[in-house]
Amino acid sequence: MSTNLQSSPICKLLLLFILQCIIITTTVAQAPAPAPSGPTNITKILEKAGQFTTLIRLFKLTQVGDQINTQLNNSNQGMTVFAPTDNAFSALKAGTLNSLSDQQKVQLLQFHVLPQYLTTSQFQTISNPLRTQAGDSASNKFPLNITSSGNQVNVTTGVMDTTVSNTLYTDGSLAVYQVDQVLLPMSMFGPQSPAPAPAPAKKKKSGADDDTPATDDSSPSADASGAVGFGGLVRGLIVGSVGVIVFIVLICL
C-alpha cells in the first residue's frame, strides 16, 4: 500500500508543494529588510563612506552639518559638498585648524559647500568663480574655480589646486564629492595685503622768523643800548660845560 501512495500523482504533487513552500520561506527569511526612508543626513553619508572623521567632527562642532541637513530637507534648494578626507586634514601645516577662530572654522567648512546641485557633467559648463556658502567670491575673498577635462574635475582656490577623486553620494538634490586636499580660501590663507605706508610728517613752513634766534625780552636790543650810550655822553658834555662856566665866573669875581 505504501508503494502505491508513493507512486500516486497526488502524493508527488503534495511533496512538490511542500518543498516549494520551504524554499520560499527560507528565501524570504534571508532577504535583508529594506532601508528605512528618512531625511537626508550629510553626517550619516560621510560615516557610511568612511575616512571622513575629521570633517564629521568639524561639521558637528560648527553646526554646519545641521545647516546643510536643514536646507536640504526644508527647501527645494540643491547642494554640492566637497569632502576632504582625513589624510587631507592631516596634510595641513601643524596647528592650522587650532589657529582659526570659531567664525573662521565655519567659513572654512562653508567654503566646501555650493548652494546648488551639480553633477560631474555640469562642471564642464559652469561659470567661474563659483559662489560658495562662505559668501563673497571676489578674488581676495572666497573664489572657487572648477574646470573639467574629460573625466577629471579640477578645483582651484588661488591658494591650492586639487581634483575630485570620487563621487560619494548623489540623489538629485545633494551631491557629495571626495577631494584629497582641504580647500583653502584666499581670504584666510592667501598672501596678505601690505599695510599702507604711514603718511609723511608735515614740514613746518620756512621763514625768516624761523632762522632768527629768540632774544630775551628783558635785555635791551642793540639800538636801545646805543641810544642809552649816546644820551649819557650828551649829559656829560652839558655838565662839563656848566662847570667850566661856573669856574670862569668865580675867577672874574
Side-chain angles (χ1 to χ4, degrees), residues 15-31:
L15 290 173
L16 182 60
F17 176 75
I18 292 172
L19 289 173
Q20 287 179 341
C21 289
I22 293 173
I23 292 172
I24 292 173
T25 303
T26 304
T27 303
V28 171
Q30 291 178 348

Side-chain angles (χ1 to χ4, degrees), residues 153-166:
V153 178
N154 304 302
V155 183
T156 62
T157 70
V159 178
M160 45 71 61
D161 304 320
T162 189
T163 58
V164 172
S165 56
N166 190 20

Side-chain angles (χ1 to χ4, degrees), residues 1 32 80 87 90 102 108 113 127-129 149 153 173 191-192 252:
M1 182 177 179
T80 301
N87 289 336
S90 298
D102 291 342
L108 177 62
V113 182
S127 298
N128 289 308
S149 177
V153 178
S173 61
Q192 300 299 315
C252 292

Side-chain angles (χ1 to χ4, degrees), residues 26 45-46 55 79 106 118 122 130 143 159 162 185-186 198 225 238:
T26 304
I45 292 171
L46 294 173
L55 182 59
M79 304 188 81
V106 170
L118 293 174
Q122 288 176 311
L130 292 173
V159 178
T162 189
M186 282 289 293
S225 58
I238 294 173

Side-chain angles (χ1 to χ4, degrees), residues 41-60:
N41 189 303
I42 184 65
T43 301
K44 290 183 178 179
I45 292 171
L46 294 173
E47 287 175 346
K48 183 178 179 180
Q51 67 176 338
F52 295 97
T53 305
T54 304
L55 182 59
I56 292 171
R57 178 175 60 82
L58 289 173
F59 270 157
K60 292 180 178 179

Side-chain angles (χ1 to χ4, degrees), residues 227-251:
V228 170
F230 180 76
L233 177 61
V234 171
R235 285 194 298 271
L237 290 175
I238 294 173
V239 171
S241 300
V242 171
V244 171
I245 294 171
V246 171
F247 179 75
I248 294 172
V249 170
L250 288 176
I251 291 176

